[in-house]
Amino acid sequence: MKSIDFEKTGGLVPAIIQDSNTRAVLMLGYMDAEALEATKSSGKVTFYSRSKKRLWTKGESSGNFLEFVDVRVDCDGDALLIRARPTGPVCHTGSDTCWDEANPGDEDFLPELEAIIASRKEQADTPGGEANSYVAGLLRRGTAKVAQKVGEEAVETVIEAMGSDDNRFLNESADLLFHWLILLQAKGFRMADIERLLAERHRQRR
């Protein structure tokens, strides 16, 4: 993650909160260095409240927390994009967002899963916590091991495709896709790279 320049903005930087699944913009808050660290360590989005003059975890009163997924710093190093999973309405008015917009559920979980894998990859060399997750452990064993796992899951998926148990086939397919996403990032790529290639092929064949 690019370094954030808290001194440039007097200790506080704006933090735009985005639903990691639907990509809806949920709210705007402010963070200092301590709030950002609390967000990453607790897994719950935490701000610095300018009115209360203290750290404030979104949902500490209502129970509608924002579960932290990942963070990005803008090009100037003075603003944050926090992607999170809301556990309820975000605005104090009861609205899904602070702009009074609906944020309906979305089945498009893959971008969120990809962001989680990216986070585990960043932590793969860090002892303790999420660095000890299955994904981080697999990545530490190297690309060849990840590729071997994809091969194993592919064989199991083919075997189940030849059978009649749809549930087993779907579960093996999910395992295959999950490990393929890990392999992509082990090689330094994302789904967007594959999407661009497929789109290019489609344009060439029209």
Side-chain angles (χ1 to χ4, degrees):
M1 186 182 74
K2 179 180 177 180
S3 178
I4 185 75
D5 190 351
F6 287 101
E7 292 185 6
K8 176 181 177 181
T9 55
L12 293 178
V13 297
I16 300 166
I17 311 302
Q18 182 184 48
D19 189 311
S20 61
N21 190 17
T22 67
R23 296 298 190 260
V25 176
L26 302 175
M27 65 173 292
L28 172 69
Y30 290 86
M31 291 185 174
D32 59 7
E34 188 178 1
L36 179 57
E37 183 57 37
T39 294
K40 293 191 289 186
S41 62
S42 71
K44 291 182 172 60
V45 176
T46 300
F47 302 100
Y48 179 83
S49 171
R50 293 174 297 171
S51 59
K52 300 175 182 176
K53 307 297 183 184
R54 64 171 178 84
L55 294 188
W56 166 65
T57 299
K58 173 64 179 172
E60 64 183 29
S61 299
S62 67
N64 297 326
F65 295 101
L66 291 167
E67 297 179 351
F68 173 70
V69 174
D70 67 6
V71 57
R72 292 290 181 268
V73 181
D74 82 332
C75 57
D76 293 324
D78 57 8
L80 296 169
L81 174 65
I82 305 286
R83 287 186 283 199
R85 293 185 295 268
T87 61
V90 172
C91 186
H92 70 279
T93 64
S95 178
D96 288 346
T97 80
C98 287
W99 286 267
D100 196 26
E101 295 178 336
N103 182 27
D106 194 329
E107 296 302 319
D108 187 12
F109 173 66
L110 290 182
E112 180 178 351
L113 178 58
E114 191 173 42
I116 293 170
I117 293 172
S119 176
R120 299 298 190 270
K121 182 181 179 184
E122 291 177 357
Q123 299 165 344
D125 296 326
T126 304
E130 291 180 330
N132 291 326
S133 70
Y134 171 78
V135 173
L138 184 58
L139 287 167
R140 283 198 200 96
R141 299 172 71 181
T143 301
K145 186 62 181 180
V146 180
Q148 177 185 339
K149 188 63 178 175
V150 171
E152 293 171 359
E153 297 297 345
V155 170
E156 292 175 5
T157 300
V158 171
I159 292 173
E160 294 303 333
M162 303 302 292
S164 58
D165 191 325
D166 291 343
N167 187 58
R168 290 178 65 90
F169 168 68
L170 289 174
N171 274 280
E172 293 298 344
S173 297
D175 288 343
L176 173 59
L177 179 56
F178 174 60
H179 287 90
W180 174 75
L181 289 173
I182 298 173
L183 179 60
L184 269 183
Q185 295 202 34
K187 294 290 293 181
F189 298 106
R190 303 290 284 264
M191 284 191 300
D193 297 298
I194 304 300
E195 291 171 348
R196 279 192 293 269
L197 179 58
L198 291 172
E200 181 180 347
R201 289 179 180 178
H202 176 67
R203 286 191 296 268
Q204 291 173 349
R205 293 172 182 173
R206 283 191 299 184

